Amino acid sequence: MSAEIICIGTELLLGDILNTNCHYLAQELASLGIPHYYQTVVGDNLARIHQVIDTAIARSSILIFTGGLGPTPDDLTTEAIASFFNTSLEERPEIITDITKKFASIGRKMTSSNRKQALIPQGAQILPNPSGTAPGMIWEVSKESQDSLTILTFPGVPSEMKRMWRDTAIPFLKSQGWGKDIIHSQMLRFRGIGESALAEKVAPLLELTNPTVAPYASRGEVRLRVSAKAKSKAEAIALIEPVAQKIQEIAGLDYFGSDEESLAVVVCKLLSDRKKTLAVAESCTGGSLGAMLTAIPGSSQYFKGGIIAYANEVKTRLLKVNTTDLDQFGAVSDLVAQQMAQEVKQVLGTDYGISITGIAGPDGSTETKPVGLVYIGLATPNGQVSSKECRFGDRRERSLVRHLSAYTALDIIRRQILSF
Amino acid sequence: MSAEIICIGTELLLGDILNTNCHYLAQELASLGIPHYYQTVVGDNLARIHQVIDTAIARSSILIFTGGLGPTPDDLTTEAIASFFNTSLEERPEIITDITKKFASIGRKMTSSNRKQALIPQGAQILPNPSGTAPGMIWEVSKESQDSLTILTFPGVPSEMKRMWRDTAIPFLKSQGWGKDIIHSQMLRFRGIGESALAEKVAPLLELTNPTVAPYASRGEVRLRVSAKAKSKAEAIALIEPVAQKIQEIAGLDYFGSDEESLAVVVCKLLSDRKKTLAVAESCTGGSLGAMLTAIPGSSQYFKGGIIAYANEVKTRLLKVNTTDLDQFGAVSDLVAQQMAQEVKQVLGTDYGISITGIAGPDGSTETKPVGLVYIGLATPNGQVSSKECRFGDRRERSLVRHLSAYTALDIIRRQILSF
């Protein structure tokens, strides 16, 4: 028994819209514990919709359709499903009444093309649409235990689809026995280790079956998703916890948080817990680090502000970077990074000062300093000043070098705070 | 002859990630004029990937795969394709060399699991990945005119996939004769007018058939896409140009740019053309405006830097905001915005100074000052200082209020420069 999502609409094939419906339904199926192995997108074309249904019924027992329920001639979903199963459509008076009422409430009259939306295959049940004119259906085409097949249809408008899913489809699916076994996941997040290296470290855990452990590479971090199937969320968490614990032990400081805990969130929490404040001095990131930190509500508790020292004259004037050092070592150097961090801490009167100076590219590299070379300076409450040289590689795009620079700066503060 | 997109990844079935790759590829296929009738998503499972290939080859002649090219055991795409066509995999030394080099450039060693990424079916051509370790392939499985089949594979990481598509896949597909009847679009971008108001102003143009004109609402701006179908890009542009011209006349200053010309790009170009410099003073945006401006390569010509004055003490200390005014009118006020803009221009010695101070929410509102209230200050080369009150609405999310604040600041500078 498994479900398949079938999205119908030529606008999806032309790339006019992003398929967020499929994403939503996938999450919902997972949380109800309904296995789901395929998603298909097909255009507004009768023969091709038939072809997709033919493929789907051979492998799935619940078909969930979105799109193609509108009043125009290119909306074919209901018609295509009915004709595939050689079933005639019948006009349901209760739908006509409902549509008429909805048009009246906005001072309009129902058009003749809307009559089409009242047609449902014989034997199917109406899946009401409280917010739009297009109802869906729940059709138990065949209830035999061996070969059972259930079809659900939804309009393509995401807000209407979601409401109908919540109000009617979930209770129906639960009445069929689903939602007893749920799938719950925890996403563990890592910085400072590559995907393949982490996968090798936790290799035996990747063989587990419940919970399962799967690695992902993301922008500037690596993730391990631990997913458990259980009777309840609490039970799933109990299965996940020891495995997540084990992974955290193996990964040590490379593990920084789970789920919604981004590096910025983790740093903000650490600063807040320890009642420490932070200021930033940014050159090549131009304010991105400050933007990441202040994206989190309540950041004024620990983030005071900073200086965007993009031009060298700002580095010398506002951050008192030594002009001789600047000339001798260049703006992208350990020494300048350290001076920037120290001075921004000093000027803003904070506990920590962190700085970023580097070559984001595509221009600005020299023979000895390639694109992707970035120095991150850190001044700590006890007066120590240090810096780290990062080489993010000269094939990386400007936006990625900047992102990795800000991300690494956050990770440096995190490790600094945690090591005390 | 038609193409089919096949996305591989259990994370898509679990709803962990949104399938933006499929959206991008659908747009690209449309613009090359390649027919495309089906999209399929399947998990990391050998038998099911085989089943999907079996269905796809019966109806499509170009199969485009994304995902499943990573180094871990659940990455099965290449292996599944090769085994489906009974072809053995061979290790390509040039890939090993490339991966080793990439690891070395970031100071790491290639792990043994990465060797897997060097395996490509016999007869397939490497589709190079300039930014990541996972190359794709172009495999002309069969070249007979009747039943030709070509397979292209891409990693799931969107930035890598897009670059590989642009650099290698497009030239390859064009060499196969695609892209002759092309669809070319120009996206016109507007700020300062709503979608429905703009649509009403250009209503007769929305009825055109070649080029077509379609409105879209985007984050902080409105867009009109003008699309033409023609034998060549030059012909399409000739069809688009008079319509785009007409729209620009109707929209006046609300039109700011086309295609990749974001507000930041336009502002940077204006500053650069007129040899003027800019500094920013940011409170609630915390560096976002600086980050937007410095996202553009070469921004050091006109962007000097700025001060992130998140805490009030930074406003008074570094931006000399008058403490009496701060107490009397609050940090979120016309007067404070003006003082911030004037002082940052002064301290950094630039032609323009721009400031942002506001309540991004969810906390921080008072009875008279709701979430979404933002003041933007501007100091100009002739010594004038002004400010604008914006009310972005208290139902908007923190991130959107911050985005709209930075966006409006850019638009204020743009209009200021253009009006002289």
Side-chain angles (χ1 to χ4, degrees), chain A residues 13 15 23 36 38-39 41 51 59 196 200 225 286 290-291 294 299 304-306 308 310-311 317 347 398 402, chain B residues 13-16 23 36 38-39 41 51 59 114 286 290-291 294 299 304-306 308 310-311 317 347 398 402:
Chain A
L13 296 179
H23 183 225
H36 151 232
Y38 303 94
Q39 299 167 354
V41 175
Q51 207 256 294
R59 62 194 185 190
S196 45
E200 282 176 25
R225 194 194 59 217
T294 56
S299 43
K304 293 289 164 205
I308 305 173
Y310 206 61
R317 208 183 319 161
V347 175
R398 179 178 178 83
R402 282 159 46 96
Chain B
L13 297 179
L14 289 172
D16 285 339
H23 183 225
H36 150 233
Y38 303 94
Q39 299 168 352
V41 176
Q51 207 255 294
R59 61 193 184 190
N114 290 100
T294 56
S299 44
K304 293 291 165 204
I308 305 173
Y310 206 61
R317 206 178 325 158
V347 175
R398 179 178 178 84
R402 282 159 48 97

Side-chain angles (χ1 to χ4, degrees), chain B residues 36 63 78 87 120 131 138 167 169 177 200 209 223 241 276 398:
Chain B
H36 150 233
L63 308 191
T78 311
T87 303
I120 297 280
S131 33
I138 297 178
D167 288 359
E200 280 175 26
T209 52
R223 300 175 173 201
E241 216 169 54
K276 298 291 183 196
R398 179 178 178 84

Side-chain angles (χ1 to χ4, degrees), chain A residues 12-20 22-23 26-27 29-30 36-43 47-49 51-52 55 59 183 185 187 192-197 199-200 206-207 214-217 219 225 227 280 282-301 303-314 317-318 346-349 361-363 391-400 402, chain B residues 10-20 22-23 26-27 29-30 36-44 47-49 51-52 55 59 70-75 98 101-103 105-108 111-114 129-131 157 159 163 166 216 225 280 282-301 303-311 313-314 317-318 346-349 361-363 398 402:
Chain A
L12 289 164
L13 296 179
L14 289 173
D16 285 339
I17 56 168
L18 183 60
N19 197 349
T20 56
C22 212
H23 183 225
Q27 289 176 319
L29 290 172
H36 151 232
Y37 304 124
Y38 303 94
Q39 299 167 354
T40 311
V41 175
V42 64
R48 290 190 203 113
I49 298 172
Q51 207 256 294
V52 165
T55 305
R59 62 194 185 190
I183 295 173
S185 300
M187 189 68 90
I193 185 166
E195 186 188 1
S196 45
E200 282 176 25
L206 300 181
E207 308 294 323
Y216 299 93
R219 221 175 171 227
R225 194 194 59 217
S227 296
V280 299
E282 301 189 52
S283 181
C284 66
T285 45
S288 312
L289 178 57
M292 275 186 189
L293 287 160
T294 56
I296 292 143
S299 43
S300 56
Q301 266 183 56
F303 182 71
K304 293 289 164 205
I307 290 170
I308 305 173
Y310 206 61
N312 281 349
E313 62 206 76
V314 180
R317 208 183 319 161
L318 268 72
Q346 181 69 24
V347 175
L348 273 79
D363 312 314
R391 290 177 183 267
F392 296 122
D394 57 2
R395 287 160 176 229
R396 292 240 169 90
E397 283 182 2
R398 179 178 178 83
S399 69
L400 187 55
R402 282 159 46 96
Chain B
T10 301
E11 66 274 29
L12 289 163
L13 297 179
L14 289 172
D16 285 339
I17 56 169
L18 183 60
N19 197 348
T20 57
C22 211
H23 183 225
Q27 289 177 319
L29 290 172
H36 150 233
Y37 304 124
Y38 303 94
Q39 299 168 352
T40 311
V41 176
V42 63
D44 304 308
R48 289 187 203 115
I49 298 173
Q51 207 255 294
V52 165
T55 305
R59 61 193 184 190
T72 56
D74 65 345
D75 292 304
D98 180 62
K101 223 187 273 171
K102 279 172 184 154
F103 271 94
S105 79
I106 55 167
R108 291 196 192 157
T111 66
S112 60
S113 54
N114 290 100
N129 180 347
S131 33
V157 181
S159 60
R163 190 160 168 195
R166 284 194 303 265
Y216 296 92
R225 195 192 59 209
V280 299
E282 302 190 51
S283 182
C284 67
T285 47
S288 310
L289 178 57
M292 276 187 189
L293 287 160
T294 56
I296 293 142
S299 44
S300 55
Q301 266 184 57
F303 182 72
K304 293 291 165 204
I307 290 169
I308 305 173
Y310 206 61
E313 61 205 77
V314 181
R317 206 178 325 158
L318 269 71
Q346 181 70 24
V347 175
L348 273 80
D363 310 315
R398 179 178 178 84
R402 282 159 48 97

Side-chain angles (χ1 to χ4, degrees), chain A residues 177-308:
Chain A
W178 293 107
K180 282 178 191 157
D181 258 357
I182 63 120
I183 295 173
H184 181 72
S185 300
Q186 184 179 355
M187 189 68 90
L188 303 176
R189 303 170 67 169
F190 307 83
R191 170 85 198 159
I193 185 166
E195 186 188 1
S196 45
L198 180 62
E200 282 176 25
K201 271 190 162 183
V202 301
L205 299 175
L206 300 181
E207 308 294 323
L208 293 176
T209 52
N210 195 21
T212 58
V213 180
Y216 299 93
S218 184
R219 221 175 171 227
E221 60 181 85
V222 172
R223 299 174 175 203
L224 289 178
R225 194 194 59 217
V226 187
S227 296
K229 192 170 183 170
K231 292 272 168 245
S232 69
K233 194 172 161 181
E235 247 181 70
I237 289 172
L239 286 166
I240 290 169
E241 218 169 58
V243 177
Q245 193 64 42
K246 178 91 190 159
I247 293 170
Q248 289 176 38
E249 274 162 30
I250 295 169
L253 268 182
D254 291 339
Y255 165 80
F256 67 80
S258 288
D259 301 322
E260 301 306 308
E261 292 171 346
S262 67
L263 261 179
V265 166
V266 170
V267 167
C268 288
K269 194 171 176 319
L270 285 170
L271 288 168
S272 168
D273 285 353
R274 307 201 181 191
K275 299 201 174 12
K276 298 292 181 194
T277 57
L278 174 69
V280 299
E282 301 189 52
S283 181
C284 66
T285 45
S288 312
L289 178 57
M292 275 186 189
L293 287 160
T294 56
I296 292 143
S299 43
S300 56
Q301 266 183 56
Y302 39 80
F303 182 71
K304 293 289 164 205
I307 290 170
I308 305 173

Side-chain angles (χ1 to χ4, degrees), chain A residues 356-387:
Chain A
I356 302 174
T357 178
I359 301 162
D363 312 314
S365 62
T366 66
E367 232 170 78
T368 51
K369 295 185 177 176
V371 165
L373 178 66
V374 177
Y375 292 87
I376 297 172
L378 178 69
T380 63
N382 62 15
Q384 281 191 323
V385 185
S386 59
S387 59

Side-chain angles (χ1 to χ4, degrees), chain B residues 30-288:
Chain B
S31 77
L32 286 167
I34 301 179
H36 150 233
Y37 304 124
Y38 303 94
Q39 299 168 352
T40 311
V41 176
V42 63
D44 304 308
N45 176 291
L46 198 70
R48 289 187 203 115
I49 298 173
H50 280 175
Q51 207 255 294
V52 165
I53 297 174
D54 197 41
T55 305
I57 56 169
R59 61 193 184 190
S60 306
S61 48
I62 303 173
L63 308 191
I64 300 170
F65 291 82
T66 67
L69 301 186
T72 56
D74 65 345
D75 292 304
L76 295 168
T77 303
T78 311
E79 183 187 336
I81 295 170
S83 60
F84 183 87
F85 294 103
N86 294 312
T87 303
S88 33
L89 292 166
E90 53 186 28
E91 188 177 286
R92 303 288 176 99
E94 59 268 52
I95 300 178
I96 297 281
T97 310
D98 180 62
I99 298 178
T100 310
K101 223 187 273 171
K102 279 172 184 154
F103 271 94
S105 79
I106 55 167
R108 291 196 192 157
K109 276 205 164 172
M110 190 185 105
T111 66
S112 60
S113 54
N114 290 100
R115 286 200 93 85
K116 182 173 170 242
Q117 298 181 300
L119 297 172
I120 297 280
Q122 278 184 342
Q125 173 190 336
I126 297 166
L127 203 174
N129 180 347
S131 33
T133 59
M137 65 168 165
I138 297 178
W139 189 17
E140 295 177 83
V141 184
S142 138
K143 290 193 205 185
E144 299 99 77
S145 61
Q146 269 286 303
D147 237 7
S148 93
L149 177 66
T150 303
I151 286 172
L152 292 94
T153 65
F154 299 86
V157 181
S159 60
E160 296 179 13
M161 182 275 290
K162 288 180 188 172
R163 190 160 168 195
M164 293 162 70
W165 178 263
R166 284 194 303 265
D167 288 359
T168 309
I170 290 180
F172 167 77
L173 291 166
K174 287 194 168 169
S175 77
Q176 304 290 303
W178 293 109
K180 280 182 189 152
D181 231 12
I182 63 120
I183 295 173
H184 182 69
S185 301
Q186 184 178 353
M187 190 67 90
L188 303 176
R189 303 169 68 168
F190 307 84
R191 170 86 197 158
I193 187 167
E195 186 186 3
S196 49
L198 181 62
E200 280 175 26
K201 273 190 162 183
V202 301
L205 300 174
L206 300 181
E207 307 294 323
L208 295 175
T209 52
N210 194 24
T212 57
V213 180
Y216 296 92
S218 184
R219 226 177 168 225
E221 61 180 83
V222 172
R223 300 175 173 201
L224 288 178
R225 195 192 59 209
V226 187
S227 296
K229 192 169 183 170
K231 290 272 165 245
S232 70
K233 195 173 161 181
E235 247 181 72
I237 288 173
L239 287 168
I240 290 169
E241 216 169 54
V243 177
Q245 193 64 42
K246 179 91 190 158
I247 292 170
Q248 289 177 39
E249 275 163 30
I250 294 169
L253 266 182
D254 291 340
Y255 165 79
F256 67 80
S258 288
D259 301 322
E260 302 305 310
E261 292 171 346
S262 67
L263 261 178
V265 167
V266 170
V267 166
C268 289
K269 194 173 177 314
L270 285 170
L271 288 168
S272 167
D273 285 353
R274 308 200 181 192
K275 299 199 173 18
K276 298 291 183 196
T277 57
L278 173 70
V280 299
E282 302 190 51
S283 182
C284 67
T285 47
S288 310

